[in-house]
Amino acid sequence: MGTLRWHFLLQSLEDLQKNLFQLGSCLLVIQGEHEAVLRDHVPKWNITQVTLDAEMEPFYKEMEARVRRLGEELGFGVLSLVGHTLYDTKRILDLNGGAPPLTYKRFLHILSLLGDPEVPVRTPTAEDFQRCRPPDPALYECYRVPLPEDLKIPLESLSPWRGGETEGLQRLEQHLTDQGWVASFTKPRTIPNSLLPSTTGLSPYFSVGCLSVRTFFYRLSNIYAQAKHHSLPPVSLQGQLLWREFFYTVASATPNFTQMAGNPICLQISWYEDAERLHKWKTAQTGFPWIDAIMTQLHQEGWIHHLARHAVACFLTRGDLWISWEEGMKVFEELLLDADYSINAGNWMWLSASAFFHQYTRIFCPVRFGKRTDPEGQYIRKYLPVLKNFSSKYIYEPWTASEEEQKQAGCIIGQDYPFPMVNHKEASDHNLQLMKQVREEQNR
Ligand code: FAD
């Protein structure tokens, strides 16, 4: 987990602590390995019940099993709740005959059989806490939300995104006031290189549990019910949430979901291993301004638009570099505020045409893709200021500017900014052939 997400998480805990305090309760943060923490605190505080979020990730599934065994040993009850998804994914899988394969279309059909998801968990009020005895104030200091410096997290890199339910709810309300925008939302028409997010930007808040996906789902349903027309899945806003649910469902029943080996839904490909090229991609040194601007935004802010994720993921994998999606996924896992086991791996498999998506002949051009929605290159100028004085004609391919024009822009290609690391046309044609071969072999 990278620095930006650490800050986001600590801010979220800080906000939760503040909100609970206003309700007459508080949050005590215990640091340590879960088993040792429980062995220590269960007898000390006379704990009779441990409640946790049910998770897809094998790591947390194992943790839950261990907590249950410990409960039997130490005599506490364990309550595992489905709070991170709209549905209990087991119910969806049961209706699918137990396991993937599962297409989005079939998934929507199963949801229509299940009906609406469970209503959101109600926000607690002060009355809920009246029964509780507030903890001894001496405990607050001992179990306070840690500061970044306590965890040795560098302070210099702060994302403009602020963590916490308060901030997440504000963002939600802001978007939902524009009911026309909500009703007509069509994902492919949103803009990857707008200077402010053109989609809701709620993913970091869902990801660390600041916002309930069910609250969002029901608020959208209410708006749709009042609208004459509204967009539909897969492109509508509710459709986006259902993509999330879809990846959670498939991930929950797929062994080795975050890797290629031993993953039954993933195409087996001999990707190149090239640490130097991977490093250039990760550190925004590919020489393609559109790709490097996106990777810079990712480093600086921890969030990038979905189609921007498409662009850099395709470039790394089947488009240009032929490097494994697992490597890209790990970089996203470190840098994204919304990094998520199921969604991250699922989308990386999609973009690399390893699973879910099979129109592999569609390769994004690292020059034309961004130009379509931002011909002046404002986004590139913001994130790559070294290129900001190039005219719009050259901003996406500054290596084509003459020496004189480069001098005038104050940026010499090969010196102040790299040459493109590949010839896109040659690389993508070659990779297309490789992908064809892999598919033919595996079909056989
Ligand atoms: P909106 O368009 O406003 O959508 C609302 C919500 O729907 C999002 O907050 C998110 O929870 C969900 N959603 C939207 N698109 C998708 C999608 N394609 N798949 C699943 N859920 C979706 N999203 C993550 O939350 N965590 C990740 O680790 C992650 N990794 C990704 C990796 C790649 C290579 C790609 C292409 C996409 C990835 N996404 C990931 C999906 C998507 O890009 C983000 O969820 C979305 O951009 C978040 O912005 P938003 O909240 O404005 O989305």
Side-chain angles (χ1 to χ4, degrees):
M1 185 153 110
T3 311
L4 298 182
R5 190 164 158 91
W6 264 116
H7 280 290
F8 191 85
L9 181 62
L10 294 180
Q11 288 162 356
S12 302
L13 290 176
E14 202 50 70
D15 186 59
L16 177 60
Q17 157 74 309
K18 207 172 76 216
N19 293 345
L20 284 173
F21 199 74
Q22 277 169 7
L23 293 168
S25 183
C26 80
L27 174 75
L28 303 179
V29 178
I30 312 177
Q31 293 184 57
E33 190 275 324
H34 68 273
E35 188 166 335
V37 161
L38 285 172
R39 284 192 184 283
D40 187 18
H41 288 76
V42 165
K44 195 157 75 187
W45 289 353
N46 197 17
I47 290 169
T48 54
Q49 181 176 293
V50 170
T51 310
L52 41 87
D53 245 347
E55 292 280 0
M56 314 299 132
E57 219 174 314
F59 175 85
Y60 291 110
K61 279 189 186 162
E62 279 163 32
M63 182 169 106
E64 181 176 331
R66 282 204 299 272
V67 171
R68 284 189 185 281
R69 283 199 294 275
L70 211 59
E72 279 165 22
E73 186 191 326
L74 302 178
F76 60 81
V78 178
L79 188 60
S80 162
L81 294 167
V82 177
H84 211 51
T85 46
L86 295 168
Y87 296 86
D88 181 348
T89 54
K90 283 194 213 87
R91 291 180 62 208
I92 304 174
L93 286 165
D94 284 347
L95 288 175
N96 190 49
L102 176 63
T103 60
Y104 186 71
K105 201 169 157 199
R106 177 155 170 76
F107 170 76
L108 291 183
H109 171 68
I110 293 177
L111 295 194
S112 71
L113 303 177
L114 283 174
D116 280 346
E118 273 178 52
V119 287
V121 178
R122 184 174 56 84
T123 307
T125 61
E127 282 100 69
D128 293 314
F129 290 104
Q130 271 167 9
R131 291 174 291 123
C132 310
R133 201 160 31 90
D136 179 352
L139 287 177
Y140 297 163
E141 195 36 40
C142 194
Y143 295 101
R144 66 178 164 75
V145 176
L147 297 169
E149 45 271 40
D150 298 335
L151 303 176
K152 304 202 170 31
I153 300 167
L155 279 171
E156 70 271 15
S157 48
L158 269 184
S159 164
W161 295 71
R162 201 174 163 75
E165 182 188 28
T166 310
E167 190 80 19
L169 283 173
Q170 262 168 21
R171 193 174 270 272
L172 177 78
E173 294 306 335
Q174 235 170 33
H175 282 292
L176 296 187
T177 4
D178 192 348
Q179 302 201 351
W181 180 80
V182 170
S184 61
F185 183 94
T186 306
K187 186 66 167 264
R189 281 204 233 125
T190 58
I191 295 176
N193 35 17
S194 54
L195 297 185
L196 290 173
S198 61
T199 49
T200 63
L202 292 176
S203 53
Y205 301 91
F206 294 136
S207 163
V208 296
C210 296
L211 270 188
S212 155
V213 281
R214 292 186 207 163
T215 301
F216 187 45
F217 182 92
Y218 276 96
R219 294 289 300 275
L220 291 174
S221 293
N222 291 343
I223 293 177
Y224 292 163
Q226 287 165 22
K228 266 200 188 140
H229 303 286
H230 64 83
S231 51
L232 292 170
V235 296
S236 61
L237 259 183
Q238 222 167 39
Q240 302 314 299
L241 263 194
L242 299 181
W243 277 117
R244 180 181 185 277
E245 196 77 4
F246 171 77
F247 287 122
Y248 270 87
T249 308
V250 180
S252 69
T254 306
N256 304 309
F257 191 69
T258 55
Q259 60 188 56
M260 179 179 80
N263 179 342
I265 64 165
C266 181
L267 198 62
Q268 304 295 303
I269 297 176
S270 301
W271 300 104
Y272 300 148
E273 278 179 33
D274 191 328
E276 198 184 317
R277 285 185 154 202
L278 174 63
H279 183 73
K280 280 189 181 162
W281 174 82
K282 180 179 176 182
T283 55
Q285 295 291 316
T286 67
F288 289 97
W290 161 237
I291 301 295
D292 293 340
I294 297 170
M295 293 306 285
T296 306
Q297 185 187 12
L298 177 61
H299 277 273
Q300 290 177 358
E301 301 178 6
W303 185 90
I304 47 178
H305 185 278
H306 183 58
L307 297 176
R309 298 181 200 211
H310 275 222
V312 294
C314 183
F315 185 88
L316 179 75
T317 58
R318 65 189 171 88
D320 295 81
L321 303 186
W322 200 257
I323 289 177
S324 166
W325 61 270
E326 287 178 47
E327 298 300 334
M329 179 193 70
K330 286 182 212 155
V331 171
F332 271 28
E333 191 175 311
E334 179 193 338
L335 299 176
L336 277 175
L337 294 177
D338 61 30
D340 180 283
Y341 173 88
S342 313
I343 315 179
N344 197 17
N347 276 284
W348 271 99
M349 277 189 263
W350 180 298
L351 260 298
S352 60
S354 297
F356 308 113
F357 171 82
H358 301 286
Q359 286 159 304
Y360 63 91
T361 50
R362 272 207 235 152
I363 291 179
F364 300 117
C365 170
V367 171
R368 287 198 309 272
F369 190 171
K371 240 187 208 175
R372 247 180 282 149
T373 43
D374 179 22
E376 300 297 316
Q378 298 303 351
Y379 175 82
I380 293 175
R381 293 176 209 281
K382 175 174 176 187
Y383 290 103
L384 299 178
V386 65
L387 300 176
K388 72 175 191 298
N389 294 327
F390 277 106
S391 66
S392 311
K393 186 174 172 201
Y394 299 116
I395 190 85
Y396 283 88
E397 31 191 353
W399 63 91
T400 60
S402 68
E403 223 177 290
E404 194 47 42
E405 280 155 335
Q406 294 183 24
K407 266 191 205 142
Q408 266 173 23
C411 174
I412 307 297
I413 303 304
Q415 186 182 308
D416 304 311
Y417 181 74
F419 278 109
M421 65 187 287
V422 288
N423 176 319
H424 170 67
K425 171 93 182 73
E426 284 170 14
S428 57
D429 283 352
H430 178 72
N431 294 344
L432 194 61
Q433 289 314 314
L434 286 179
M435 188 58 96
K436 252 190 202 138
Q437 263 171 27
V438 174
R439 286 172 170 263
E440 277 166 14
E441 276 162 24
Q442 291 188 24
N443 275 344
R444 268 207 298 278

Short mmCIF file of all heavy atoms in Angstrom, two decimals, residues 267 269 271 314 317-320 322 349-364 424 427-441 443:
data_model
loop_
_atom_site.label_atom_id
_atom_site.label_comp_id
_atom_site.label_asym_id
_atom_site.label_seq_id
_atom_site.Cartn_x
_atom_site.Cartn_y
_atom_site.Cartn_z
N LEU A 267 -6.29 -16.30 -19.85
CA LEU A 267 -5.50 -16.79 -20.98
C LEU A 267 -4.03 -16.88 -20.56
O LEU A 267 -3.52 -15.97 -19.91
CB LEU A 267 -5.65 -15.76 -22.11
CG LEU A 267 -5.30 -16.18 -23.53
CD1 LEU A 267 -6.19 -17.31 -24.02
CD2 LEU A 267 -5.46 -14.97 -24.47
N ILE A 269 -0.32 -16.62 -21.30
CA ILE A 269 0.48 -15.90 -22.31
C ILE A 269 1.93 -15.83 -21.84
O ILE A 269 2.20 -15.59 -20.66
CB ILE A 269 -0.08 -14.46 -22.50
CG1 ILE A 269 -1.51 -14.52 -23.04
CG2 ILE A 269 0.82 -13.64 -23.42
CD1 ILE A 269 -2.20 -13.17 -23.19
N TRP A 271 4.37 -13.59 -21.54
CA TRP A 271 4.69 -12.16 -21.58
C TRP A 271 6.19 -11.96 -21.48
O TRP A 271 6.90 -12.83 -20.94
CB TRP A 271 4.01 -11.44 -20.41
CG TRP A 271 2.51 -11.53 -20.36
CD1 TRP A 271 1.76 -12.31 -19.54
CD2 TRP A 271 1.57 -10.80 -21.16
NE1 TRP A 271 0.41 -12.11 -19.77
CE2 TRP A 271 0.26 -11.20 -20.78
CE3 TRP A 271 1.69 -9.85 -22.19
CZ2 TRP A 271 -0.90 -10.67 -21.35
CZ3 TRP A 271 0.53 -9.33 -22.75
CH2 TRP A 271 -0.74 -9.74 -22.35
N CYS A 314 -3.43 -0.96 -21.58
CA CYS A 314 -3.27 -1.53 -22.91
C CYS A 314 -1.83 -1.32 -23.38
O CYS A 314 -1.21 -2.23 -23.95
CB CYS A 314 -4.27 -0.88 -23.86
SG CYS A 314 -4.22 -1.56 -25.51
N THR A 317 0.54 -3.84 -21.75
CA THR A 317 0.34 -5.27 -22.03
C THR A 317 0.27 -5.56 -23.53
O THR A 317 1.27 -5.49 -24.22
CB THR A 317 -0.91 -5.77 -21.29
OG1 THR A 317 -2.05 -4.99 -21.71
CG2 THR A 317 -0.76 -5.66 -19.78
N ARG A 318 -0.93 -5.78 -24.04
CA ARG A 318 -1.06 -6.26 -25.42
C ARG A 318 -0.81 -5.18 -26.47
O ARG A 318 -0.61 -5.47 -27.64
CB ARG A 318 -2.45 -6.88 -25.62
CG ARG A 318 -3.55 -5.88 -25.50
CD ARG A 318 -4.92 -6.53 -25.49
NE ARG A 318 -5.92 -5.54 -25.16
CZ ARG A 318 -6.53 -4.79 -26.05
NH1 ARG A 318 -6.25 -4.89 -27.32
NH2 ARG A 318 -7.43 -3.91 -25.66
N GLY A 319 -0.82 -3.90 -26.05
CA GLY A 319 -0.67 -2.83 -27.02
C GLY A 319 0.77 -2.65 -27.47
O GLY A 319 1.09 -2.83 -28.65
N ASP A 320 1.63 -2.30 -26.51
CA ASP A 320 2.98 -1.91 -26.92
C ASP A 320 4.12 -2.72 -26.28
O ASP A 320 5.07 -3.08 -26.94
CB ASP A 320 3.20 -0.41 -26.63
CG ASP A 320 2.29 0.43 -27.50
OD1 ASP A 320 1.10 0.59 -27.14
OD2 ASP A 320 2.75 0.90 -28.56
N TRP A 322 4.03 -5.59 -24.18
CA TRP A 322 3.87 -7.04 -24.00
C TRP A 322 4.45 -7.48 -22.64
O TRP A 322 5.17 -8.44 -22.51
CB TRP A 322 4.54 -7.80 -25.15
CG TRP A 322 4.03 -9.21 -25.31
CD1 TRP A 322 4.67 -10.35 -24.91
CD2 TRP A 322 2.79 -9.64 -25.90
NE1 TRP A 322 3.89 -11.45 -25.20
CE2 TRP A 322 2.75 -11.05 -25.82
CE3 TRP A 322 1.71 -8.97 -26.48
CZ2 TRP A 322 1.68 -11.81 -26.29
CZ3 TRP A 322 0.65 -9.72 -26.96
CH2 TRP A 322 0.64 -11.12 -26.86
N MET A 349 -7.14 -8.03 -16.27
CA MET A 349 -7.33 -9.17 -17.18
C MET A 349 -8.14 -8.73 -18.40
O MET A 349 -7.87 -9.13 -19.52
CB MET A 349 -8.06 -10.30 -16.44
CG MET A 349 -7.12 -11.15 -15.62
SD MET A 349 -7.94 -12.60 -14.98
CE MET A 349 -8.36 -12.08 -13.34
N TRP A 350 -9.11 -7.88 -18.14
CA TRP A 350 -9.95 -7.36 -19.24
C TRP A 350 -9.09 -6.62 -20.26
O TRP A 350 -9.11 -6.89 -21.45
CB TRP A 350 -10.99 -6.41 -18.62
CG TRP A 350 -11.92 -5.79 -19.61
CD1 TRP A 350 -11.58 -4.95 -20.65
CD2 TRP A 350 -13.33 -5.96 -19.68
NE1 TRP A 350 -12.70 -4.59 -21.33
CE2 TRP A 350 -13.78 -5.18 -20.77
CE3 TRP A 350 -14.25 -6.68 -18.93
CZ2 TRP A 350 -15.13 -5.10 -21.12
CZ3 TRP A 350 -15.60 -6.59 -19.28
CH2 TRP A 350 -16.02 -5.82 -20.36
N LEU A 351 -8.33 -5.64 -19.76
CA LEU A 351 -7.58 -4.77 -20.67
C LEU A 351 -6.50 -5.51 -21.44
O LEU A 351 -6.16 -5.14 -22.57
CB LEU A 351 -6.96 -3.61 -19.88
CG LEU A 351 -7.75 -2.30 -19.97
CD1 LEU A 351 -7.79 -1.82 -21.43
CD2 LEU A 351 -9.17 -2.44 -19.48
N SER A 352 -5.94 -6.55 -20.83
CA SER A 352 -4.90 -7.29 -21.52
C SER A 352 -5.51 -8.40 -22.38
O SER A 352 -4.79 -9.21 -22.95
CB SER A 352 -3.92 -7.89 -20.50
OG SER A 352 -4.62 -8.76 -19.63
N ALA A 353 -6.85 -8.40 -22.45
CA ALA A 353 -7.59 -9.42 -23.20
C ALA A 353 -7.26 -10.83 -22.72
O ALA A 353 -7.25 -11.79 -23.48
CB ALA A 353 -7.36 -9.30 -24.71
N SER A 354 -6.97 -10.94 -21.42
CA SER A 354 -6.68 -12.25 -20.83
C SER A 354 -7.95 -12.94 -20.37
O SER A 354 -7.99 -14.15 -20.20
CB SER A 354 -5.75 -12.10 -19.62
OG SER A 354 -4.52 -11.57 -20.02
N ALA A 355 -8.98 -12.15 -20.08
CA ALA A 355 -10.28 -12.70 -19.67
C ALA A 355 -11.33 -11.62 -19.90
O ALA A 355 -11.00 -10.44 -20.01
CB ALA A 355 -10.27 -13.09 -18.20
N PHE A 356 -12.58 -12.01 -19.96
CA PHE A 356 -13.75 -11.14 -20.08
C PHE A 356 -13.89 -10.45 -21.44
O PHE A 356 -14.97 -10.37 -22.00
CB PHE A 356 -13.77 -10.03 -19.00
CG PHE A 356 -13.62 -10.53 -17.61
CD1 PHE A 356 -12.49 -10.25 -16.85
CD2 PHE A 356 -14.60 -11.33 -17.03
CE1 PHE A 356 -12.34 -10.73 -15.57
CE2 PHE A 356 -14.47 -11.82 -15.73
CZ PHE A 356 -13.33 -11.51 -15.00
N PHE A 357 -12.80 -9.88 -21.96
CA PHE A 357 -12.85 -9.06 -23.18
C PHE A 357 -12.02 -9.74 -24.25
O PHE A 357 -10.86 -10.10 -24.01
CB PHE A 357 -12.28 -7.68 -22.85
CG PHE A 357 -12.08 -6.79 -24.04
CD1 PHE A 357 -13.13 -6.07 -24.58
CD2 PHE A 357 -10.82 -6.66 -24.61
CE1 PHE A 357 -12.93 -5.23 -25.68
CE2 PHE A 357 -10.61 -5.82 -25.70
CZ PHE A 357 -11.66 -5.12 -26.23
N HIS A 358 -12.62 -9.90 -25.44
CA HIS A 358 -11.88 -10.69 -26.44
C HIS A 358 -11.69 -9.97 -27.77
O HIS A 358 -11.20 -10.54 -28.72
CB HIS A 358 -12.57 -12.05 -26.62
CG HIS A 358 -12.60 -12.79 -25.31
ND1 HIS A 358 -11.48 -13.38 -24.76
CD2 HIS A 358 -13.59 -12.97 -24.39
CE1 HIS A 358 -11.78 -13.91 -23.58
NE2 HIS A 358 -13.06 -13.66 -23.34
N GLN A 359 -12.08 -8.66 -27.81
CA GLN A 359 -11.87 -7.94 -29.08
C GLN A 359 -10.45 -7.39 -29.09
O GLN A 359 -10.23 -6.17 -29.06
CB GLN A 359 -12.90 -6.83 -29.22
CG GLN A 359 -14.27 -7.37 -29.55
CD GLN A 359 -15.35 -6.36 -29.19
OE1 GLN A 359 -15.44 -5.92 -28.05
NE2 GLN A 359 -16.13 -5.98 -30.16
N TYR A 360 -9.51 -8.31 -29.10
CA TYR A 360 -8.11 -7.91 -28.90
C TYR A 360 -7.54 -7.12 -30.08
O TYR A 360 -6.46 -6.57 -29.99
CB TYR A 360 -7.27 -9.16 -28.63
CG TYR A 360 -7.24 -10.13 -29.78
CD1 TYR A 360 -6.25 -10.04 -30.74
CD2 TYR A 360 -8.22 -11.11 -29.92
CE1 TYR A 360 -6.23 -10.91 -31.82
CE2 TYR A 360 -8.21 -11.97 -31.00
CZ TYR A 360 -7.22 -11.86 -31.94
OH TYR A 360 -7.21 -12.70 -33.02
N THR A 361 -8.26 -7.08 -31.20
CA THR A 361 -7.71 -6.34 -32.34
C THR A 361 -7.83 -4.83 -32.11
O THR A 361 -7.19 -4.05 -32.79
CB THR A 361 -8.45 -6.70 -33.65
OG1 THR A 361 -9.84 -6.58 -33.40
CG2 THR A 361 -8.12 -8.10 -34.11
N ARG A 362 -8.66 -4.44 -31.15
CA ARG A 362 -8.80 -3.01 -30.84
C ARG A 362 -7.68 -2.57 -29.92
O ARG A 362 -7.71 -2.87 -28.72
CB ARG A 362 -10.12 -2.77 -30.11
CG ARG A 362 -11.25 -2.53 -31.05
CD ARG A 362 -12.28 -1.68 -30.34
NE ARG A 362 -13.56 -2.35 -30.38
CZ ARG A 362 -14.50 -2.19 -29.47
NH1 ARG A 362 -14.30 -1.42 -28.42
NH2 ARG A 362 -15.64 -2.82 -29.58
N ILE A 363 -6.69 -1.90 -30.47
CA ILE A 363 -5.56 -1.44 -29.65
C ILE A 363 -5.58 0.09 -29.60
O ILE A 363 -5.77 0.75 -30.62
CB ILE A 363 -4.23 -1.95 -30.25
CG1 ILE A 363 -4.16 -3.48 -30.09
CG2 ILE A 363 -3.03 -1.28 -29.59
CD1 ILE A 363 -2.91 -4.11 -30.65
N PHE A 364 -5.42 0.63 -28.41
CA PHE A 364 -5.47 2.09 -28.28
C PHE A 364 -4.17 2.72 -28.76
O PHE A 364 -3.09 2.25 -28.42
CB PHE A 364 -5.68 2.50 -26.83
CG PHE A 364 -6.95 1.97 -26.24
CD1 PHE A 364 -6.94 1.08 -25.18
CD2 PHE A 364 -8.18 2.35 -26.77
CE1 PHE A 364 -8.11 0.58 -24.64
CE2 PHE A 364 -9.36 1.86 -26.24
CZ PHE A 364 -9.33 0.97 -25.17
N HIS A 424 5.12 2.76 -32.02
CA HIS A 424 3.82 2.19 -31.68
C HIS A 424 3.27 1.30 -32.79
O HIS A 424 2.74 0.21 -32.53
CB HIS A 424 2.81 3.29 -31.34
CG HIS A 424 1.41 2.78 -31.22
ND1 HIS A 424 1.02 1.93 -30.21
CD2 HIS A 424 0.32 2.95 -32.03
CE1 HIS A 424 -0.26 1.60 -30.38
NE2 HIS A 424 -0.70 2.20 -31.48
N ALA A 427 5.30 -2.01 -32.92
CA ALA A 427 5.10 -2.82 -31.70
C ALA A 427 3.69 -3.39 -31.66
O ALA A 427 3.49 -4.58 -31.37
CB ALA A 427 5.37 -1.98 -30.46
N SER A 428 2.70 -2.56 -31.96
CA SER A 428 1.33 -3.04 -31.81
C SER A 428 0.99 -4.06 -32.90
O SER A 428 0.27 -5.03 -32.63
CB SER A 428 0.33 -1.89 -31.77
OG SER A 428 0.44 -1.11 -32.93
N ASP A 429 1.53 -3.88 -34.11
CA ASP A 429 1.29 -4.89 -35.17
C ASP A 429 1.90 -6.23 -34.75
O ASP A 429 1.27 -7.28 -34.89
CB ASP A 429 1.95 -4.46 -36.49
CG ASP A 429 1.12 -3.38 -37.19
OD1 ASP A 429 -0.01 -3.12 -36.72
OD2 ASP A 429 1.61 -2.80 -38.16
N HIS A 430 3.10 -6.16 -34.21
CA HIS A 430 3.79 -7.38 -33.79
C HIS A 430 2.99 -8.08 -32.67
O HIS A 430 2.76 -9.29 -32.72
CB HIS A 430 5.20 -7.00 -33.31
CG HIS A 430 5.98 -8.16 -32.79
ND1 HIS A 430 6.49 -9.13 -33.62
CD2 HIS A 430 6.32 -8.52 -31.53
CE1 HIS A 430 7.11 -10.04 -32.89
NE2 HIS A 430 7.02 -9.70 -31.62
N ASN A 431 2.55 -7.28 -31.69
CA ASN A 431 1.83 -7.86 -30.56
C ASN A 431 0.48 -8.46 -30.97
O ASN A 431 0.03 -9.45 -30.40
CB ASN A 431 1.62 -6.81 -29.46
CG ASN A 431 2.94 -6.40 -28.85
OD1 ASN A 431 3.94 -7.09 -29.03
ND2 ASN A 431 2.96 -5.28 -28.14
N LEU A 432 -0.12 -7.82 -31.96
CA LEU A 432 -1.39 -8.34 -32.46
C LEU A 432 -1.20 -9.76 -33.02
O LEU A 432 -2.02 -10.65 -32.78
CB LEU A 432 -1.91 -7.39 -33.54
CG LEU A 432 -3.35 -7.56 -33.95
CD1 LEU A 432 -4.28 -7.31 -32.77
CD2 LEU A 432 -3.69 -6.57 -35.07
N GLN A 433 -0.10 -9.93 -33.73
CA GLN A 433 0.19 -11.26 -34.29
C GLN A 433 0.42 -12.27 -33.17
O GLN A 433 -0.07 -13.38 -33.21
CB GLN A 433 1.45 -11.21 -35.19
CG GLN A 433 1.24 -10.48 -36.51
CD GLN A 433 -0.05 -10.89 -37.21
OE1 GLN A 433 -0.36 -12.07 -37.32
NE2 GLN A 433 -0.82 -9.90 -37.65
N LEU A 434 1.18 -11.82 -32.14
CA LEU A 434 1.43 -12.71 -31.00
C LEU A 434 0.12 -13.14 -30.36
O LEU A 434 -0.10 -14.32 -30.05
CB LEU A 434 2.28 -12.00 -29.94
CG LEU A 434 3.77 -11.79 -30.25
CD1 LEU A 434 4.44 -11.04 -29.10
CD2 LEU A 434 4.46 -13.14 -30.43
N MET A 435 -0.76 -12.17 -30.17
CA MET A 435 -2.03 -12.45 -29.51
C MET A 435 -2.87 -13.41 -30.35
O MET A 435 -3.50 -14.34 -29.82
CB MET A 435 -2.78 -11.13 -29.25
CG MET A 435 -4.02 -11.25 -28.42
SD MET A 435 -3.74 -11.96 -26.77
CE MET A 435 -3.57 -10.52 -25.76
N LYS A 436 -2.86 -13.21 -31.66
CA LYS A 436 -3.59 -14.11 -32.57
C LYS A 436 -3.08 -15.54 -32.39
O LYS A 436 -3.87 -16.48 -32.24
CB LYS A 436 -3.34 -13.67 -34.02
CG LYS A 436 -4.55 -13.05 -34.64
CD LYS A 436 -4.34 -12.86 -36.13
CE LYS A 436 -5.31 -11.77 -36.59
NZ LYS A 436 -4.73 -10.83 -37.51
N GLN A 437 -1.74 -15.67 -32.39
CA GLN A 437 -1.13 -17.00 -32.25
C GLN A 437 -1.54 -17.67 -30.95
O GLN A 437 -1.97 -18.82 -30.93
CB GLN A 437 0.39 -16.86 -32.20
CG GLN A 437 1.10 -17.07 -33.49
CD GLN A 437 2.56 -16.68 -33.35
OE1 GLN A 437 3.13 -16.74 -32.25
NE2 GLN A 437 3.16 -16.25 -34.43
N VAL A 438 -1.42 -16.91 -29.85
CA VAL A 438 -1.76 -17.46 -28.54
C VAL A 438 -3.18 -17.98 -28.55
O VAL A 438 -3.47 -19.09 -28.08
CB VAL A 438 -1.64 -16.38 -27.44
CG1 VAL A 438 -2.14 -16.91 -26.10
CG2 VAL A 438 -0.23 -15.87 -27.31
N ARG A 439 -4.07 -17.19 -29.11
CA ARG A 439 -5.49 -17.57 -29.09
C ARG A 439 -5.75 -18.79 -29.97
O ARG A 439 -6.52 -19.68 -29.59
CB ARG A 439 -6.35 -16.39 -29.53
CG ARG A 439 -6.39 -15.39 -28.44
CD ARG A 439 -7.03 -14.09 -28.75
NE ARG A 439 -7.14 -13.43 -27.46
CZ ARG A 439 -8.23 -13.42 -26.71
NH1 ARG A 439 -9.32 -14.00 -27.12
NH2 ARG A 439 -8.22 -12.84 -25.54
N GLU A 440 -5.10 -18.80 -31.12
CA GLU A 440 -5.30 -19.96 -32.01
C GLU A 440 -4.80 -21.24 -31.34
O GLU A 440 -5.48 -22.25 -31.34
CB GLU A 440 -4.59 -19.73 -33.35
CG GLU A 440 -5.44 -18.89 -34.29
CD GLU A 440 -4.67 -18.35 -35.48
OE1 GLU A 440 -3.54 -18.84 -35.73
OE2 GLU A 440 -5.19 -17.43 -36.13
N GLU A 441 -3.59 -21.13 -30.74
CA GLU A 441 -3.02 -22.31 -30.07
C GLU A 441 -3.93 -22.79 -28.96
O GLU A 441 -4.21 -23.97 -28.82
CB GLU A 441 -1.66 -21.98 -29.46
CG GLU A 441 -0.52 -22.09 -30.45
CD GLU A 441 0.72 -21.34 -29.97
OE1 GLU A 441 0.87 -21.16 -28.74
OE2 GLU A 441 1.51 -20.93 -30.83
N ASN A 443 -7.11 -22.18 -28.50
CA ASN A 443 -8.40 -22.67 -28.99
C ASN A 443 -8.26 -24.12 -29.45
O ASN A 443 -9.13 -24.94 -29.20
CB ASN A 443 -8.89 -21.83 -30.17
CG ASN A 443 -9.63 -20.60 -29.68
OD1 ASN A 443 -10.02 -20.54 -28.51
ND2 ASN A 443 -9.80 -19.63 -30.54
#
